[in-house]
Amino acid sequence: MTEKAVLTFGDQQIELPIVEGSDGNRAIDISQLLAKTGMTSYDPALGNTAFCKSAITYIDGDKGILRYRGIPIEQFTQHPNFIEVAWLLIFGELPNEEEHIDFRARLTANELLHEDIKDQFQFIPADSPPMAILSATLNNLACIHKEFLEVNSPEGLVGAAARLISKARTIAAFAYRRSMGLPFIYPDPSLRYCANFLHMMFSLPYKQYVVTDEIQDALNLLFILHADHEQNCSTSTVRVVGSSHANLFASCAAGVSALWGPLHGGANVDVVEMLERIYKGGISPEQCIRDAKDKTNPFRLSGFGHRVYRNFDPRAKILKAACDRVLASMNRHDPLLDIARKLEELALNDPYFVERKLYPNVDFYSGIILRAIGIPTNMFTVCFAIGRLPGWIAQWKEQHDDPSSRIVRPRQIYTGEGERNYVPMDQR
Ligand code: CMC
């Protein structure tokens, strides 16, 4: 017999189907609740609502497990290859050799920005936030590449995905060059994805930036660890926008905007600013912990806590180890890493954080690696966005390919005025 949940209220009793996944939480299907009872459901911030079925990423927040298409995230750390992971997320399987070569060739073919798009950068104020530039320019791509406004075939999707993933990196680097008043450096087709990004960021017209294998691996790893995280704020945004059949560019541009906030991707900036403040003596680590616990103080310990993880974020564990590796390979010591470790130790031994199951999240250590690579703080969230693009594309595609998907349209509980009359201006 198929299991059902029974909901009783007043003298009514209705049966609700149970939805099974292949792993993890089961759900009670309430999609017919309104039609059958006239009642809607209330779940602020959707903390208890599965708003889609997805076969892309699996998280077990209690055990600290993260898998992409079934593969544990730890298995991507040995020979990190962001492009391979991007393909895996979007198309469901690791690419075979032919697919890998083809996708890399497409990324290379799409790495330049149309000169009209490039020229727009000179009209943007030099101190503009790079996240604003990234979001606006991704949207602008639709003005130039109109063929990608409708993506209705697998071939069209591969082309659009390659275009977005490739150009996001060029847009990011050009935004940085603009902010520094430096000449744009065109992409070098002989370089791999991450090396090419760093080349566009840091080469000079008279001097090629040389990237070591360790730095390339570190950036690949960082992008991989950010590549998808199921229905987080920005990914849900991409799905909500895409559900209206808005194009892939517009949907991903909306994802960038959602990611920007300090409770989401913007936290990686806040973490490093917090660590720098401590380093400069503005506040002690102990005071920082006290402030984070003080309910009259809006301050939160940046890079700590997560809606889903009630255990170590596996990404933070990997990044913490990677910090040591990267700094050692550069023969460098970063005092901010010592401060981060100290904060983590204080928090993990403090009943406030222990009781609430607050652990370091992906943003806690990522900034230390980005700093070591030479990425300035205002580009941290942009790097998160470059990493997250394959996830957004994969989730957009999954929704787009699902014939049962509908426009996302939540309900509300109205708490405003009852019916009343319009008052003309001279009587107010
Ligand atoms: N510092 C101090 N207290 C915290 C923190 C923190 N970082 N995070 C959560 N809490 C407290 C919160 O005040 C609440 O306490 P109480 O039960 O006494 O009211 C309790 O822990 C539960 O928190 P919540 O606000 O219900 O948790 P949430 O699931 O709504 O929010 C979060 C999750 C990530 C927004 C939050 O933990 C936070 O603001 N963290 C700091 C910002 C951050 O690091 N964001 C990056 C998240 S991971 C990567 C990403 O998504 O981009």
Side-chain angles (χ1 to χ4, degrees):
M1 200 178 76
T2 323
E3 195 184 357
K4 289 197 186 314
V6 180
L7 178 69
T8 309
F9 59 97
D11 54 3
Q12 281 196 63
Q13 207 175 53
I14 60 157
E15 287 189 340
L16 299 168
I18 303 285
V19 182
E20 302 276 354
S22 51
D23 213 338
N25 290 341
R26 301 192 303 160
I28 298 172
D29 179 348
I30 55 158
S31 55
Q32 292 305 309
L33 193 66
L34 184 64
K36 285 189 178 166
T37 67
M39 303 248 284
T40 185
S41 57
Y42 181 57
D43 181 19
L46 304 182
N48 194 48
T49 294
F51 93 128
C52 63
K53 291 182 185 171
S54 179
I56 300 169
T57 289
Y58 173 73
I59 300 175
D60 183 326
D62 293 324
K63 295 193 183 128
I65 291 174
L66 170 61
R67 297 184 203 131
Y68 292 161
R69 298 286 187 183
I71 303 176
I73 192 81
E74 291 77 10
Q75 293 187 17
F76 298 108
T77 56
Q78 281 308 312
H79 305 286
N81 181 330
F82 174 58
I83 294 315
E84 201 178 59
V85 171
W87 182 276
L88 169 74
L89 287 168
I90 299 169
F91 300 107
E93 296 293 339
L94 287 164
N96 61 32
E97 201 175 350
E98 195 184 321
E99 287 164 338
H100 193 211
I101 290 170
D102 176 67
F103 196 50
R104 274 179 48 200
R106 285 174 190 262
L107 291 169
T108 302
N110 283 294
E111 61 194 4
L112 281 170
L113 294 184
H114 191 289
E115 286 292 300
D116 290 350
I117 296 266
K118 192 206 82 180
D119 289 346
Q120 289 173 7
F121 279 79
Q122 63 184 313
F123 302 109
I124 298 171
D127 59 353
S128 304
M131 285 296 272
I133 301 176
L134 181 61
S135 176
T137 315
L138 286 181
N139 239 329
N140 275 356
L141 289 181
C143 307
I144 304 283
H145 306 287
K146 296 198 181 59
E147 70 277 21
F148 287 110
L149 290 180
E150 296 279 333
V151 180
N152 284 325
S153 66
E155 169 60 23
L157 197 277
V158 182
R163 184 153 295 196
L164 266 174
I165 293 171
S166 187
K167 290 194 190 306
R169 162 192 62 165
T170 313
I171 295 166
F174 280 21
Y176 168 68
R177 305 292 294 201
R178 169 78 186 120
S179 73
M180 300 297 288
L182 290 167
F184 298 130
I185 298 289
Y186 282 80
D188 176 346
S190 72
L191 294 174
R192 306 284 286 264
Y193 188 84
C194 290
N196 211 349
F197 173 54
L198 295 173
H199 156 71
M200 287 188 275
M201 288 280 292
F202 301 129
S203 284
L204 293 169
Y206 49 86
K207 192 166 177 233
Q208 176 87 10
Y209 171 86
V210 181
V211 57
T212 63
D213 287 348
E214 286 85 4
I215 296 289
Q216 256 192 98
D217 279 357
L219 195 55
N220 268 291
L221 179 64
L222 198 122
F223 285 158
I224 289 171
L225 294 178
H226 288 87
D228 194 49
H229 213 236
E230 50 118 303
Q231 307 314 316
N232 56 85
C233 176
S234 56
T235 302
S236 316
T237 301
V238 170
R239 278 191 178 255
V240 170
V241 175
S243 79
S244 74
H245 293 184
N247 69 74
L248 181 61
F249 297 95
S251 305
C252 290
V256 173
S257 299
L259 186 72
W260 193 356
L263 296 188
H264 194 10
N268 57 14
V269 173
D270 285 2
V271 171
V272 163
E273 287 177 351
M274 173 180 77
L275 299 177
E276 278 172 343
R277 223 175 114 220
I278 296 173
Y279 177 63
K280 288 178 187 152
I283 183 174
S284 67
E286 289 76 10
Q287 185 59 44
C288 204
I289 296 289
R290 279 195 291 278
D291 285 354
K293 296 192 295 182
D294 179 359
K295 293 293 176 195
T296 62
N297 188 335
F299 175 78
R300 282 190 164 193
L301 189 60
S302 299
F304 254 76
H306 200 276
R307 172 65 60 81
V308 181
Y309 292 117
R310 299 299 173 193
N311 197 327
F312 264 95
D313 179 336
R315 303 168 299 174
K317 268 193 197 167
I318 296 171
L319 284 172
K320 189 179 177 185
C323 284
D324 291 326
R325 270 201 315 277
V326 173
L327 290 170
S329 81
M330 301 171 94
N331 219 357
R332 267 180 52 185
H333 169 248
D334 187 345
L336 297 199
L337 180 56
D338 301 335
I339 296 170
R341 285 206 192 96
K342 173 76 184 166
L343 275 177
E344 179 182 334
E345 186 196 319
L346 288 172
L348 295 186
N349 286 298
D350 189 302
Y352 174 95
F353 291 89
V354 175
E355 280 158 20
R356 289 168 178 76
K357 299 187 176 164
L358 302 172
Y359 291 87
N361 59 49
V362 68
D363 293 317
F364 197 64
Y365 286 105
S366 61
I368 310 268
I369 296 186
L370 289 168
R371 263 164 65 88
I373 296 175
I375 308 276
T377 312
N378 71 345
M379 290 291 290
F380 285 6
T381 316
V382 170
C383 288
F384 191 152
I386 296 174
R388 185 54 57 91
L389 251 185
W392 291 335
I393 297 168
Q395 302 267 352
W396 185 95
K397 173 182 184 297
E398 187 175 68
Q399 176 175 265
H400 184 263
D401 290 351
D402 176 0
S404 70
S405 77
R406 301 163 73 202
I407 187 165
V408 178
R409 196 342 184 149
R411 300 277 171 168
Q412 65 166 16
I413 306 293
Y414 176 70
T415 60
E417 299 283 352
E419 184 179 346
R420 55 186 180 148
N421 289 327
Y422 173 83
V423 181
M425 181 67 84
D426 60 357
Q427 292 168 33
R428 285 176 215 164

